[in-house]
Amino acid sequence: MEERITELILSRLEAQAIQIEELRQGMDRRFKDTDRRFDQMDRRLEHIERRLDEQAEQIKELRSDLRYMARWLFGTQFAIALFLLGLAAKTFYPS
């Protein structure tokens, strides 16, 4: 009788040991999957960061170009205004 109880206890312990091992393996797989996902996210974030850096550089270049164009347009308008003032002065006050 004691032998049978001992065998029953041992078989239950073995079953629990198997379950614990399966759970441990499942957790290990999940941790590996999680690590893989974090690695993928790191790579994606690095790619996004590189793209943002590239876009920031492009924006700087565009700002510089826009400043140049704005100065050029202002200068052109100023020159045209001076020309028209001179033409008007010559028309209204001929020499």
Side-chain angles (χ1 to χ4, degrees):
M1 179 80 168
E2 287 179 20
E3 211 172 280
R4 187 177 161 124
I5 292 174
T6 305
E7 286 180 21
L8 182 63
I9 291 172
L10 286 175
S11 66
R12 287 184 181 173
L13 286 174
E14 286 178 20
Q16 287 179 350
I18 291 170
Q19 286 178 336
I20 290 172
E21 181 62 26
E22 288 173 355
L23 288 172
R24 188 185 65 74
Q25 289 175 356
M27 288 174 60
D28 287 345
R29 279 194 305 273
R30 288 189 182 120
F31 279 127
K32 287 178 185 176
D33 288 344
T34 303
D35 285 343
R36 186 175 39 83
R37 289 181 185 146
F38 275 120
D39 290 342
Q40 288 174 350
M41 289 303 297
D42 283 343
R43 286 192 300 272
R44 287 180 187 164
L45 289 173
E46 287 172 1
H47 176 71
I48 289 170
E49 188 175 339
R50 280 194 306 270
R51 285 181 52 201
L52 287 174
D53 289 343
E54 290 171 3
Q55 289 175 353
E57 190 62 35
Q58 290 173 351
I59 288 172
K60 284 181 184 177
E61 291 174 9
L62 286 173
R63 281 183 181 167
S64 176
D65 292 347
L66 286 174
R67 280 190 199 119
Y68 172 77
M69 289 175 58
R71 289 176 185 154
W72 184 82
L73 287 173
F74 179 74
T76 304
Q77 290 173 348
F78 187 71
I80 290 172
L82 284 177
F83 173 75
L84 290 176
L85 281 174
L87 189 60
K90 189 173 183 180
T91 302
F92 292 118
Y93 303 109
S95 313

